[in-house]
Amino acid sequence: MSPRTAVIVAALLFAVFLVVIAAMVWQEAKRRSGSSELVYSVDDAVDYALEHLDQEVRGRLGKAGVRRILEWEVYYLQGLADRKRAREVTVVAGGHGPAVEYIAQQISRRHGATYDAADIRAVLAGEARYLVTIGAVGEPVEDAP
């Protein structure tokens, strides 16, 4: 093989190599840019909500109280979904009346602690902001006429 032919073959092999690398990079970028699975972490939600609470509320509840509220809220939403699987379930992020009442009752019954409804709503509002930051909350849906 002449030196000129060797250079041409090497250049072609290098070009093929670059095309293969470019295809792999493109495929990986396409895979990562797709909708990734959203993961709700109670630990992350607790930290986020705690960080964004007023000093007074944070002092009254502490990290354990914030965790307790969020865990009971998750339990509430799971139970709500289980009872109404045949029907569509409307979930309001940020804490609506029945959720706040349920959480307060369960914490009082099971843990002997009493939390103010405004404190529970503040924690749930922090959780709602956490859900927005992880991309789990979309635009409000309007009912079709």
Side-chain angles (χ1 to χ4, degrees), residues 36-108:
S36 62
E37 186 175 315
L38 299 175
V39 178
Y40 175 88
S41 165
V42 173
D43 291 332
D44 291 345
V46 167
D47 291 341
Y48 188 91
L50 195 61
E51 183 180 320
H52 292 86
L53 284 175
D54 289 339
Q55 184 91 11
E56 294 174 7
V57 177
R58 191 178 324 136
R60 285 192 296 269
L61 298 176
K63 188 170 185 173
V66 171
R67 173 179 291 284
R68 193 176 286 150
I69 290 168
L70 293 181
E71 286 175 345
W72 277 111
E73 192 232 3
V74 168
Y75 189 81
Y76 170 79
L77 292 174
Q78 288 171 342
L80 182 65
D82 284 343
R83 284 193 305 265
K84 299 185 180 186
R85 283 194 193 274
R87 297 185 318 189
E88 188 175 310
V89 178
T90 301
V91 178
V92 179
H96 66 299
V100 172
E101 291 171 20
Y102 175 83
I103 293 165
Q105 288 173 354
Q106 291 302 318
I107 290 173
S108 176

Side-chain angles (χ1 to χ4, degrees), residues 26-35:
W26 175 74
Q27 185 178 18
E28 183 65 18
K30 187 175 167 185
R31 183 182 70 83
R32 288 187 184 200
S33 68
S35 61

